[in-house]
Amino acid sequence: MMMTSHPLSEPNHPLPHPGAAKPPTDLLRTDTAILRRPPGLRTHFRASAPLLHVTSGLIPPRGGGWAPSTDRRKKCSSLVLSKLKKLRSMEAKRRIGIVGFGHVGHYLAQKILEEGEKSGLELAFVWNRTMKKMDGVIDPRLQLHRLSEFQTRQVDLIVEVAHPDITRDYGEHFLSAANVMIGSPTVLSDPDIESRLRETATTSGHTLYVPSGALWGGEDIQRMADRGTLKGLRITMTKHPDSLQLKGELAQKNQSVDGRTILYEGPVRGLCPVAPNNVNTMAAACMAAHTLGFDGVIGVLVADPRIPDWHLVDIEVTGTKNKETGQVFSVTTKRCNPAEVGRVTGSATFLSFWSSLLGCTGHGGRVYLC
Ligand SMILES: NC(=O)c1ccc[n+]([C@@H]2O[C@H](COP(=O)([O-])OP(=O)(O)OC[C@H]3O[C@@H](n4cnc5c(N)ncnc54)[C@H](O)[C@@H]3O)[C@@H](O)[C@H]2O)c1
C-alpha cells in the first residue's frame, strides 16, 4: 500500500463517534470545586471527609471545628489534587485500535470486547483492508473505514496485526499520536524505517512495542545483549509449506518442496523482505539481540511437509567463553506450537499477543520488547 500524499496531513477531526473516551465527570467536578473555592476549603473538607480520609489519611476532628493553617490547607489541597489525578488516570480505560482483522486481529478484538472491562481496556476501532470481513462480528460504530482517520478515535494504543506494509506506510503517524505495538516487526529489517520509527518514538514520547510473539526467552536474550555477553544467536523456524507466504525465488523453491528443505540460511535481514509474514519471531529476536541486530542474527527457514499442524522454533544462544576452562555458555530451546493447517500464526501465539497487549501501558519514547 504505497501512499503518495498522506491524508494524515489534514487537520485533526473532532470526536464524533459514540464510544469516545469521556473524562470521569464526578472527579473533575470535585477537582474544579477545590480549585475554585480556596476560601471555602474548610467547608469542602467537611463535605468530602470520606474522600479526604481515603486519599490523604487526614481525618477532621469531631464536630468539624478544624481550622487548618494556610500552609496546611495548601499542602492538603495539592495532596488531594495529586491523589485525584492518580485515581482518574487509574479509572480511565486504555483505548485500543486494532489494525488488521485476520486471525490475530479477530482474537484480540474479541478478547477486548469480552475481557477488556476487567483489564481496563476499551476497543476504540478495528480496521481491515476488506471491511466486509467485520460484518456481523464488529459493531459498525467500532469499524474504522479509513485508516488515515484513526485520530478521530482517540486511541492510547494501536496494534498492527495485518502486514509489515502498514507500519511502513503509517508507522510514524501512528507513533506520533499513540503507543504502537507492531505484530509484524519484519518491517524493522529496513534500516531507514527502523531509524525513523526510533526517532519518532523519541520525539513523541510514545513507545514502539515489539511483541515477543513466538519468541521464547526474548528477555533473557535482551539482558545478555545489554550486558555485552551475547555472542551468537541462531533461529530455525520450521513450518509446513502451506503455512509459508513467500516472495520471489523462495516462493518457487517452496512450491517444489518434497521432504524437509532448508529454504534460507543466513542473516535475518535478507530473509524478512521475502518472508514478511513468517519470520516475525526472528525479527523480534533481532530487536532483543540488539548488539547483533538483523545482520548478526542467523535465520534458518525450513519447509517440512510432514508437519501440517505444527510451527517449530529452535533457538540457539551462544554466550561468552570461560577464559580458564574454555567452556562456552549456551542455551538451546525448542518451541513446538500446535497450529491450524495453513495458518501463519500458531495457537499459543494468540495468548502471547494478548499478554503483550496487556503490558503496553506506555514505557516512554523508545522501542520496547513486550
Ligand atoms: N510477532 C510474531 O511472532 C508473530 C506471530 C504470528 C503472526 N505475526 C504477524 O501478525 C500478522 C497477523 O497475523 P494473522 O495470523 O492474523 O494473519 P492473517 O493472515 O490471518 O490476517 C492478516 C490480515 O491482514 C490483512 N492484510 C494482509 N496483507 C495486508 C496488507 N498488505 N495491507 C493491509 N492489510 C493486509 C488481511 O486482509 C488479513 O485480514 C501477520 O503479519 C503475521 O505475520 C507475528
Side-chain angles (χ1 to χ4, degrees):
M1 189 193 297
M2 286 299 292
M3 301 186 59
T4 40
S5 84
H6 208 288
L8 290 178
S9 52
E10 293 165 14
N12 286 356
H13 298 260
L15 301 173
H17 81 103
K22 290 191 193 83
T25 45
D26 48 338
L27 288 182
L28 276 179
R29 247 182 270 126
T30 315
D31 260 7
T32 318
I34 294 170
L35 283 169
R36 285 190 186 153
R37 298 177 57 198
L41 199 59
R42 194 172 154 199
T43 320
H44 177 81
F45 272 6
R46 274 202 207 122
S48 321
L51 173 71
L52 196 65
H53 174 63
V54 170
T55 55
S56 70
L58 294 171
I59 309 167
R62 275 188 196 160
W66 186 27
S69 68
T70 311
D71 273 1
R72 197 163 172 183
R73 278 184 202 170
K74 278 185 190 161
K75 210 171 162 186
C76 287
S77 68
S78 70
L79 192 68
V80 170
L81 276 176
S82 74
K83 295 276 180 183
L84 280 170
K85 270 187 193 156
K86 205 168 173 183
L87 275 176
R88 204 166 46 186
S89 70
M90 280 163 71
E91 278 199 2
K93 291 210 183 89
R94 274 191 296 140
R95 290 175 55 75
I96 315 293
I98 305 280
V99 178
F101 196 65
H103 294 100
V104 178
H106 191 157
Y107 171 83
L108 292 177
Q110 202 74 39
K111 206 81 170 136
I112 296 170
L113 290 171
E114 285 167 7
E115 296 179 28
E117 183 78 34
K118 69 175 182 211
S119 307
L121 303 177
E122 184 177 23
L123 193 60
F125 73 78
V126 183
W127 175 89
N128 196 57
R129 192 170 51 174
T130 325
M131 297 293 293
K132 237 181 151 357
K133 222 170 168 180
M134 293 188 268
D135 282 358
V137 194
I138 296 294
D139 184 331
R141 288 171 301 177
L142 292 174
Q143 298 180 12
L144 183 69
H145 290 254
R146 286 197 197 151
L147 195 48
S148 58
E149 290 175 2
F150 74 93
Q151 277 179 306
T152 60
R153 304 300 176 104
Q154 281 236 317
V155 279
D156 298 298
L157 176 72
I158 296 172
V159 178
E160 174 280 308
V161 274
H163 192 278
D165 285 358
I166 294 291
T167 301
R168 182 196 65 198
D169 296 339
Y170 291 89
E172 286 166 87
H173 303 287
F174 288 167
L175 205 48
S176 303
N179 296 318
V180 178
M181 179 173 115
I182 48 168
S184 316
T186 46
V187 70
L188 300 174
S189 66
D190 179 328
D192 181 45
I193 295 177
E194 185 190 347
S195 75
R196 280 192 281 123
L197 289 174
R198 281 189 187 277
E199 201 181 313
T200 311
T202 310
T203 51
S204 68
H206 292 127
T207 312
L208 179 69
Y209 289 100
V210 177
S212 48
L215 176 69
W216 193 258
E219 279 186 14
D220 297 293
I221 292 170
Q222 186 166 265
R223 265 188 225 129
M224 286 179 71
D226 290 345
R227 302 281 82 79
T229 59
L230 182 68
K231 299 299 168 196
L233 180 59
R234 181 185 170 89
I235 306 199
T236 304
M237 295 182 75
T238 309
K239 296 184 184 187
H240 187 275
D242 290 350
S243 292
L244 296 169
Q245 296 169 3
L246 307 171
K247 291 183 179 174
E249 255 180 53
L250 229 56
Q252 284 177 353
K253 213 171 164 184
N254 188 43
Q255 272 168 9
S256 52
V257 160
D258 181 20
R260 188 180 188 276
T261 308
I262 294 178
L263 299 174
Y264 178 95
E265 182 169 5
V268 174
R269 184 152 344 251
L271 182 56
C272 290
V274 288
N277 289 101
N278 295 115
V279 296
N280 284 299
T281 305
M282 294 187 193
C286 293
M287 298 307 286
H290 54 87
T291 47
L292 300 172
F294 283 89
D295 295 312
V297 177
I298 299 301
V300 184
L301 187 63
V302 180
D304 191 342
R306 296 169 307 172
I307 52 158
D309 49 2
W310 290 97
H311 290 178
L312 311 181
V313 182
D314 292 275
I315 300 177
E316 299 161 71
V317 179
T318 310
T320 45
K321 191 177 189 175
N322 184 312
K323 281 181 192 145
E324 284 159 27
T325 63
Q327 292 165 302
V328 177
F329 174 85
S330 69
V331 179
T332 307
T333 59
K334 185 177 194 73
R335 185 180 190 265
C336 304
N337 190 8
E340 282 187 37
V341 178
R343 289 248 185 126
V344 296
T345 306
S347 26
T349 307
F350 290 90
L351 261 184
S352 168
F353 265 97
W354 176 241
S355 300
S356 294
L357 193 155
L358 291 175
C360 296
T361 52
H363 289 78
R366 57 179 164 149
V367 179
Y368 193 89
L369 193 76
C370 60

